[in-house]
Amino acid sequence: MRTFVGDIAAGFFEVTHSGLALLGLAVAFAAITLTARPDLRQMGADQLMGWLQERQVEINGFALEAVASERATAGNPKDLPREQAAVTYWLSKKYRVAPEPLAVLVGEAYAVGARTRLEPTLILAVMAVESGFNPFAQSAVGAQGLMQVMTRVHTDKYEDFGGRFAAFDPVANLRVGVKVLQECIQRAGSLEGGLRFYVGAANLADDGGYAGKVLAEHQRLRQVAEGAARAPLVAARTPAPAAPSGPGALTRQPGEKVALLASGY
């Protein structure tokens, strides 16, 4: 019986050893093949990804997208310079728009403004008056997006952004709108005249108060930005020195705290 059991164990060991050796050879051969054939490796990865996505749809009812947040036009306002952060929070409060997407628009307005020599607060004021920061807004005459650009008139300006549907991408619409505004100001020879051109009232007796609204909002935003730039940082409260004891002791005075004078915080 011992001899029989020993023979079975030895045979099982030999079979298992041979099977593992064959498995190792198969794995090594597959690794060499995939290394030498990137196309097969990519095909295998695509098939595996497709199978995983199908399983996710079966389980959740929709495919999960780990990169969805990368498509969102949003950022942390606290990462902006203090002046831009103050403008972001002020606009967020006034127009009831989340500060995260506004942070991207404010940062872009400052970057584009530096390149085009247009004040960023003017760019933001045009967006505020035109759409109230609604990237999907459309007027009765077909002006679209944040800066209400006439897409069918300025289709060529969207070619660098992939076509006319880029009118609903906030950053693309901002850049095209700034280009149109810059052309209008150059054509009119003045800021107020350029705003009249921008709104399509250059040949009309009255622009409906459009230029005045934009300039007023521009001035308010400029004050917010300048106030944040001038405001001192918040200083920590300094401990007051111990009051002397005895007759004639002075009244203890607490340390002073410097407030951050910035609207929107």
Side-chain angles (χ1 to χ4, degrees):
M1 180 61 70
R2 285 197 300 270
T3 301
F4 178 70
V5 172
D7 290 342
I8 292 177
F12 179 77
F13 176 78
E14 290 293 336
V15 171
T16 304
H17 180 73
S18 300
L20 291 175
L22 289 174
L23 179 62
L25 288 174
V27 171
F29 177 76
I32 294 172
T33 302
L34 291 176
T35 302
R37 295 286 303 276
D39 56 330
L40 293 179
R41 186 169 66 248
Q42 184 62 41
M43 184 183 302
D46 292 342
Q47 290 180 350
L48 177 60
M49 184 60 67
W51 179 79
L52 291 174
Q53 289 178 347
E54 290 177 0
R55 289 292 299 160
Q56 288 177 349
V57 172
E58 292 176 2
I59 296 172
N60 302 313
F62 56 88
L64 301 180
E65 295 186 75
V67 297
S69 61
E70 297 178 4
R71 297 199 305 267
T73 305
N76 189 347
K78 296 180 181 178
D79 295 336
L80 294 173
R82 185 170 55 170
E83 177 182 341
Q84 298 180 31
V87 171
T88 298
Y89 285 114
W90 189 86
L91 289 171
S92 174
K93 183 177 180 180
K94 180 174 181 180
Y95 292 95
R96 298 183 180 180
V97 179
E100 289 80 8
L102 274 177
V104 175
L105 298 178
V106 170
E108 184 66 21
Y110 273 78
V112 173
R115 294 194 299 267
T116 60
R117 297 184 179 180
L118 289 178
E119 290 191 64
T121 49
L122 172 65
I123 298 171
L124 294 167
V126 171
M127 279 189 281
V129 174
E130 287 284 358
S131 66
F133 297 98
N134 176 7
F136 309 122
Q138 177 167 309
S139 72
V141 295
Q144 297 176 324
L146 281 175
M147 297 192 70
Q148 291 291 277
V149 179
M150 294 293 291
T151 306
R152 64 175 180 270
V153 176
H154 300 284
T155 304
D156 59 316
K157 291 182 174 62
Y158 283 111
E159 290 179 358
D160 293 338
F161 300 96
R164 61 186 181 87
F165 289 139
F168 301 105
D169 173 72
V171 174
N173 189 281
L174 187 157
R175 293 177 180 176
V176 171
V178 168
K179 191 171 184 178
V180 175
L181 178 61
Q182 190 178 29
E183 292 175 355
C184 290
I185 294 173
Q186 291 173 351
R187 183 179 177 185
S190 67
L191 176 55
E192 186 171 355
L195 290 171
R196 289 174 63 87
F197 269 103
Y198 190 86
V199 79
N203 299 321
L204 301 178
D206 184 18
D207 66 355
Y210 173 80
K213 292 177 184 177
V214 172
L215 293 175
E217 190 71 354
H218 169 39
Q219 184 61 30
R220 284 188 286 267
L221 287 169
R222 180 190 287 174
Q223 290 173 354
V224 171
E226 292 176 351
R230 290 194 303 265
L233 294 173
V234 176
R237 183 182 294 275
T238 55
S245 58
L250 297 175
T251 304
R252 182 179 178 181
Q253 298 293 333
E256 294 183 354
K257 180 178 180 181
V258 181
L260 176 60
L261 304 176
S263 301
Y265 284 101

